[in-house]
Amino acid sequence: MSRTEAPPLPEPLRVPVADSHTHLDMQDATVEEALARAAAVNVTTVVQVGCDVAGSRWAAETAAAHPAVHASVALHPNEAPRIVHGDPDGTARRGAREPGGKAALDEALAEIDALAALDHVRGVGETGLDFFRTGPEGIAAQEESFRAHIEIAKRHGKALVIHDRDAHADVLRVLADAGAPERTVFHCYSGDAEMARICARAGYFMSFAGNVTFKNAQPLRDALAVAPVELVLVETDAPFLTPAPYRGRPNAPYLIPVTLRAMAEVKGLEEDVLAAAIYDNTARAFDF
């Protein structure tokens, strides 16, 4: 089987569910195709997440055009250092960039603030800290951006969507120090069971992605096992983190049932019960 070939549609869920975090703009299908495939397996709602100003504008426009799409807008944690310090090499997806300094970051944050005021924008994120891809020189810019997003989310009464990679203690520190919004979501939850208990005490939602199905992901399954069902969400983070047995192939919202069924097994719940709970949780988290 080709690594680039899309996995088949899984058996549909009997109860509608929502994909709490996806990137339709990075997937091969059109928005209409992606939503139709998702609906065919009873994934009826998706949260489209922006990672920079352009992507956040696209998310807002897409949500305005499609009732099944809700938008979340932000500068990704790795975007903030690129804005401030520049990125002379760039990547395949992101071109080279000249340093813009604090003024450029402030300008970008002002655009995110304006987008966050829109009714069809339901979240501010993904924001947070990422110590995997950004070195020590970029941490200050990341934290400044993170704190600004927290204030934007609180100002507009929107959910805060957290990207936390290799930065658990610092993310929790900033949230405690700045004061987390009423609704905070740890996207692609990556902590252990003890962190899940900390998040639960704080009332943070924990969204699990396809990597919870990976063989080496027992710590994630342990975290899911102790996470209160009323704080659990499911996501694809598509086109990334495709669940087993399709790991390495393109991910899309229609694969949510694969991850949800694995989660139901970990939680010891009927899939219909978990799907219903997750839909209600996602609607509560993103106020739709």
Side-chain angles (χ1 to χ4, degrees):
M1 192 68 67
S2 168
R3 300 279 283 182
T4 60
E5 185 177 341
L9 263 69
E11 180 184 345
L13 295 165
R14 291 180 294 269
V15 174
V17 78
D19 179 351
S20 75
H21 193 111
T22 195
H23 301 284
L24 296 171
D25 50 332
M26 302 180 195
Q27 297 167 39
D28 290 337
T30 66
V31 172
E32 291 75 15
E33 289 168 344
L35 294 178
R37 288 177 195 161
V41 297
N42 227 355
V43 178
T44 58
T45 306
V46 305
V47 179
Q48 166 63 26
V49 180
C51 292
D52 55 22
V53 169
S56 294
R57 286 194 197 116
W58 189 91
E61 291 165 1
T62 302
H66 298 276
V69 179
H70 303 290
S72 188
V73 299
L75 309 177
H76 189 283
N78 292 326
E79 178 71 359
R82 293 183 76 242
I83 292 172
V84 174
H85 300 297
D87 185 3
D89 300 323
T91 65
R93 195 164 56 83
R94 297 166 180 263
R97 176 177 291 179
E98 293 295 317
K102 186 178 185 305
L105 180 59
D106 290 344
E107 182 179 348
L109 287 166
E111 293 209 45
I112 298 301
D113 189 23
L115 289 169
L118 299 172
D119 286 344
H120 47 275
V121 172
R122 301 295 184 173
V124 172
E126 56 188 282
T127 181
L129 300 173
D130 186 324
F131 296 164
F132 179 75
R133 294 198 184 282
T134 296
E137 71 286 347
I139 289 174
Q142 280 196 357
E143 184 164 330
E144 180 181 351
S145 178
F146 184 20
R147 288 177 179 271
H149 282 82
I150 291 171
E151 292 309 310
I152 291 169
K154 290 195 286 192
R155 182 158 54 248
H156 297 291
K158 304 297 170 79
L160 182 73
V161 179
I162 302 288
H163 170 106
D164 163 26
R165 189 165 188 187
D166 293 355
H168 305 322
D170 285 284
V171 167
L172 292 171
R173 170 184 59 80
V174 173
L175 286 173
D177 180 55
E182 181 181 349
R183 291 168 287 120
T184 295
V185 177
F186 273 76
H187 131 70
C188 189
Y189 180 84
S190 60
D192 60 11
E194 181 52 36
M195 181 172 162
R197 293 185 182 97
I198 293 169
C199 289
R201 288 195 292 271
Y204 301 152
F205 292 93
M206 290 162 269
S207 183
F208 290 84
N211 56 339
V212 76
T213 69
F214 296 174
K215 286 182 180 179
N216 63 349
Q218 191 57 46
L220 275 186
R221 291 186 284 276
D222 293 342
L224 173 59
V226 303
V229 69
E230 65 270 16
L231 293 175
V232 169
L233 309 181
V234 66
E235 66 174 87
T236 55
D237 197 23
F240 314 108
L241 298 177
T242 312
Y246 308 113
R247 185 177 183 180
R249 293 165 66 181
N251 202 3
Y254 73 84
L255 290 172
I256 280 284
V258 179
T259 301
L260 186 137
R261 287 178 176 125
M263 291 171 62
E265 187 172 339
V266 171
K267 295 295 286 178
L269 294 171
E270 295 291 332
E271 70 175 66
D272 292 6
V273 172
L274 183 59
I278 284 178
Y279 188 91
D280 288 347
N281 297 344
T282 313
R284 190 158 41 93
F286 290 96
D287 193 26
F288 61 74

